[in-house]
Amino acid sequence: MAELHLTMDPVADKLISHDPFALLIGGLLDQQFPMERAFAGPMKITERFGNLNPTAIATADPGTFAELCATPPAIHRYGRSMAERIQQLARVIVDEYDGRAERVWTEATSGRDLARRLEGLPGYGKAKVKMFVALLGKQLDCRPDGWERIAGDFALDGYRSIADVVDPDSLLKVREYKKAKKLAARS
């Protein structure tokens, strides 16, 4: 996998760069929460749980797992509900992909198939799928036929989403873009 720089923390970035399940968890957490903190969430889980093994997470005691996700600094502003979704995600990865998260994208036969696979994951709605497909296409060279159509505007050049973050400067540009988009929507 490519070296990602989404969190601005070298240790957390290394984890999401080399562990596809960590990357999926980061994508899951990337909602109503700062992008770089969402993608750093898997590192917090690893530090507290000891690993990111999908089988271990899927079978962990839900109360204990929720507590470690909600303990300050929490993995998300909704740490307990996200803990439940992470365990659901882990079960899907174990049951449908034999515990190998990268199969979600490495075995996709088309952009549409990739979108279908991502939409089958807990917490991955239409907007998140577009962003994640763009991230896979732009930074991980996962470009099944039709990926640009699925990613929509996120596939374009510029600074629109986490897919365009490669350093602190690009993170600021993505934030500025999102802020301008919100202001335009209010007008």
Side-chain angles (χ1 to χ4, degrees), residues 20-39:
F21 186 55
L23 186 60
L24 284 175
I25 291 172
L28 171 70
L29 295 174
D30 186 19
Q31 58 185 345
Q32 300 177 338
F33 200 59
M35 295 177 289
E36 70 278 14
R37 289 180 54 204
F39 282 90

Side-chain angles (χ1 to χ4, degrees), residues 50-77:
N51 66 69
L52 279 183
N53 179 287
T55 302
I57 289 175
T59 58
D61 175 73
T64 303
F65 191 72
E67 184 64 31
L68 76 86
C69 289
T71 298
I75 63 162
H76 192 276
R77 65 191 282 194

